[in-house]
Amino acid sequence: MTPLQYELSHLRALEAESIHIFREVAAEFERPVLLFSGGKDSIVLLRLAEKAFRPARFPFPIMHVDTGHNFPEVVQFRDELIGELGERLIVAHVQDSIDNGRVVEEKGPRASRNRLQTTTLLDAIAEHGFDAAFGGARRDEERARAKERVFSFRDEFGQWDPKRQRPELWSLYNGKIRKGEHVRVFPISNWTELDVWQYISEERLAVPSIYFSHPRQVFRRDGMLYAHSEFVQLIEGEEPFEESVRYRTVGDMTCTGAVASRAATLEAVVAEIAATRITERGETRADDRVTEAAMEDRKREGYF
């Protein structure tokens, strides 16, 4: 007779930790919100939220900060998925921040709206009175994110100070904040990119089509492949060409690079990620290459 096994698998242990974090936030905070980009990490967050709260509705809305330069496949996927879930979606538009004079749009071939999202996000948090915001950041993505705790405290200006983070011994989370402050919460902080893809594969979760290999018109800049689109101005000498690519991360089209790939199935993507030695942001995000501390600088200002 085979003995009963009581030990959770690696993925199920991570899942249990994340569900605990979701329920802890629901118990400690009055007005949480789940930040959703349409990418793989936030898709996993939605499944974890389902496991934490179904059959009830989520005790928080879902919010997307839309730069206006997002991949159309991702925006369509967002609307379809949230519609299937039957949850409330809030869309905060960077274009509104530009029109209202809150931010100034960059010009030139390297212009991007990515950094402008910070103001749009902070304005939306203040407008709706959110005191906690779930995000899909993971410690393995980038050095600045490795400094963050699961509960990442932000002051009344939305700013982050790595020296003011609270200890989280024995997975105990202190959610006490003062008026005007809020907390960014990262339920999958301890996951890796490979964990995320293996979980998506096990759960058979749908993801945007751009995560799989597909032919696309791209151009090469600074060693990365960018989508040729109306939002990007080519530099002299840059020529679009067709390549079989896929994306490891979802973001603004102006600063998110693709990778040459033939991985067209979940299984092939998992195998490809297991073999890579370069982080997704290191390989595909131009906004992290501005300076060595680019991500930390943005996070101090209130970025995701």
Side-chain angles (χ1 to χ4, degrees):
M1 182 176 180
T2 304
L4 294 175
Q5 297 291 326
Y6 295 101
E7 185 175 343
L8 291 176
S9 69
H10 171 64
L11 283 182
R12 295 308 157 188
L14 288 173
E15 178 189 71
E17 177 188 51
S18 300
I19 290 172
H20 164 69
I21 293 166
F22 266 108
R23 291 172 175 169
E24 189 71 16
V25 170
E28 288 196 47
F29 294 89
E30 293 184 7
R31 297 181 65 84
V33 64
L34 190 153
L35 302 179
F36 183 76
S37 67
K40 63 185 185 306
D41 300 309
S42 50
I43 290 169
V44 167
L45 287 186
L46 286 182
R47 173 50 60 90
L48 293 168
E50 285 187 274
K51 293 195 175 188
F53 303 113
R54 289 293 193 239
R57 296 283 299 275
F58 294 172
F60 44 75
I62 298 163
M63 183 166 74
H64 180 213
V65 178
D66 188 352
T67 68
H69 294 172
N70 296 102
F71 290 91
E73 300 96 324
V74 175
V75 174
Q76 180 181 347
F77 177 86
R78 176 200 72 188
D79 294 339
E80 292 174 353
L81 179 58
I82 304 303
E84 291 173 5
L85 289 172
E87 297 292 342
R88 178 188 172 200
L89 174 66
I90 299 169
V91 180
H93 297 277
V94 170
Q95 185 63 53
D96 291 341
S97 298
I98 295 171
D99 294 343
N100 295 332
R102 293 284 292 141
V103 295
V104 177
E105 187 160 21
E106 299 174 4
K107 302 295 183 182
R110 297 185 183 276
S112 172
R113 290 184 173 185
N114 192 58
R115 193 167 190 137
L116 307 185
Q117 294 179 87
T118 298
T119 299
T120 307
L121 171 63
L122 293 178
D123 286 351
I125 287 174
E127 177 185 351
H128 296 280
F130 295 131
D131 53 4
F134 293 105
R138 308 184 321 272
R139 289 193 177 107
D140 77 320
E141 289 182 84
E142 204 272 341
R143 288 174 295 180
R145 285 187 166 166
K147 294 181 181 180
E148 284 195 294
R149 304 292 170 84
V150 173
F151 276 29
S152 180
F153 286 84
R154 307 299 172 107
D155 64 19
E156 63 271 27
F157 302 106
Q159 297 175 334
W160 173 69
D161 182 352
K163 296 180 180 179
R164 295 185 59 198
Q165 299 304 296
R166 299 174 182 178
E168 295 177 342
L169 302 175
W170 307 292
S171 298
L172 297 176
Y173 306 108
N174 181 352
K176 186 176 181 180
I177 58 173
R178 292 172 293 191
K179 186 175 181 179
E181 297 175 334
H182 71 276
V183 175
R184 308 285 172 86
V185 183
F186 305 114
I188 62 171
S189 184
N190 292 326
W191 297 45
T192 66
E193 183 185 10
L194 182 58
D195 292 330
V196 168
W197 278 111
Q198 288 177 330
Y199 190 78
I200 288 170
S201 182
E202 281 197 11
E203 296 285 316
R204 309 309 296 180
L205 300 179
V207 296
S209 59
I210 67 171
Y211 277 120
F212 302 109
S213 177
H214 61 283
R216 184 180 288 268
Q217 284 288 310
V218 297
F219 65 94
R220 190 176 300 278
R221 176 182 294 176
D222 302 330
M224 291 196 289
L225 299 174
Y226 293 96
H228 181 49
S229 73
E230 60 182 307
F231 308 126
V232 181
Q233 178 183 334
L234 296 179
I235 298 174
E236 185 177 355
E238 294 177 340
E239 292 292 338
F241 60 94
E242 186 171 286
E243 180 64 87
S244 177
V245 301
R246 72 175 195 85
Y247 287 84
R248 292 178 65 184
T249 183
V250 164
D252 192 298
M253 293 180 73
T254 61
C255 62
T256 304
V259 294
S261 173
R262 299 289 178 180
T265 65
L266 277 175
E267 291 73 20
V269 169
V270 169
E272 189 173 274
I273 295 302
T276 189
R277 293 295 177 265
I278 306 175
T279 66
E280 59 194 279
R281 296 194 69 93
E283 186 174 29
T284 65
R285 293 300 293 265
D287 47 328
D288 289 347
R289 298 185 176 188
V290 177
T291 67
E292 287 192 4
M295 171 64 83
E296 183 162 333
D297 291 342
R298 293 200 307 277
K299 292 184 76 64
R300 287 179 181 273
E301 296 170 358
Y303 188 73
F304 302 108

